[in-house]
Amino acid sequence: MQIFPRSLNLLPLVAAVALAVGGGVVTFIVAYYFSYWNTQVGYAPVQPVPFSHRLHAGQLGMDCRYCHANVERSPEAMIPPTQTCMGCHSVVRTESAALAPVRESWETGEPIEWVRVHNLPDHAYFDHSIHLSIGVGCATCHGRIDQMEVVTNQTPLSMSWCLDCHRNPEPNLRPVSEITNMAWEREEGEEITYARYALPPETCSGCHR
């Protein structure tokens, strides 16, 4: 007497196919989550002008704040205007072909269309000034910019990456005087905490709202 229909013989095959497809989908999702397309680690877009941070910030020792002048007072690091570039290049390398877009921008008044490297989701609010004011250095999030010929995204800037720092910020803090010093290293036994750079509640509410 046949109790179960013959079609049930296909059940193991269907289960195997479903498991394979489901496993593939899960693998794809996990791989994508940790991939360049999601985290953007390694992202290094081609810029309209081949600006070398290794030369300017590294060899020449220019402070980050010379170009990103409002970073200590503004949520945005601010891309420098052409006027900042011409402060030097009106007398330095004035005939360079690579700097032709800079000279053209200066003559026409049209801004240079730099390509953003570090992007956060629209729903994420990040304030540079608050982080710098408590001693989070540029290198913590951006890496050794002074060693990069082409600026490359070094960190995932994901929510979990940010939360890891907010849960235990002390290892990423430094004296405020050293925030733009890419080579700064904590001395053995040196402790730097929020208490040293206490902020008024209204400042914190800029982020935590």
Side-chain angles (χ1 to χ4, degrees), residues 84-113:
T84 300
C85 304
M86 292 301 292
C88 292
H89 290 293
S90 59
V91 294
V92 178
R93 299 189 65 187
T94 58
E95 302 299 324
S96 170
L99 296 174
V102 177
R103 294 192 295 271
E104 181 181 356
S105 172
W106 180 246
E107 293 169 0
T108 63
E110 294 294 325
I112 300 172
E113 295 186 4

Side-chain angles (χ1 to χ4, degrees), residues 7-20:
S7 59
L8 285 181
N9 292 333
L10 296 175
L11 185 60
L13 177 61
V14 172
V17 172
L19 183 62

Side-chain angles (χ1 to χ4, degrees), residues 3-147:
I3 299 177
F4 300 104
R6 293 182 180 277
S7 59
L8 285 181
N9 292 333
L10 296 175
L11 185 60
L13 177 61
V14 172
V17 172
L19 183 62
V21 173
V25 171
V26 171
T27 300
F28 173 79
I29 293 175
V30 172
Y32 176 81
Y33 182 79
F34 290 103
S35 71
Y36 150 79
W37 294 280
N38 186 51
T39 64
Q40 295 193 16
V41 172
Y43 177 57
V46 176
Q47 300 290 353
V49 179
F51 181 89
S52 171
H53 279 77
R54 177 184 295 173
L55 170 63
H56 292 79
Q59 297 176 19
L60 299 179
M62 291 176 61
D63 191 283
C64 304
R65 291 164 293 195
Y66 180 80
C67 295
H68 305 288
N70 293 321
V71 70
E72 294 177 289
R73 302 183 295 275
S74 169
E76 299 286 343
M78 312 295 287
I79 295 177
T82 304
Q83 179 180 357
T84 300
C85 304
M86 292 301 292
C88 292
H89 290 293
S90 59
V91 294
V92 178
R93 299 189 65 187
T94 58
E95 302 299 324
S96 170
L99 296 174
V102 177
R103 294 192 295 271
E104 181 181 356
S105 172
W106 180 246
E107 293 169 0
T108 63
E110 294 294 325
I112 300 172
E113 295 186 4
W114 299 100
V115 181
R116 191 181 187 116
V117 179
H118 303 87
N119 289 299
L120 292 178
D122 291 340
H123 62 266
Y125 177 78
F126 179 87
D127 190 316
H128 277 83
S129 63
I130 292 176
H131 287 78
L132 293 179
S133 69
I134 62 171
V136 178
C138 304
T140 299
C141 299
H142 298 295
R144 290 298 301 271
I145 292 286
D146 61 321
Q147 297 177 355

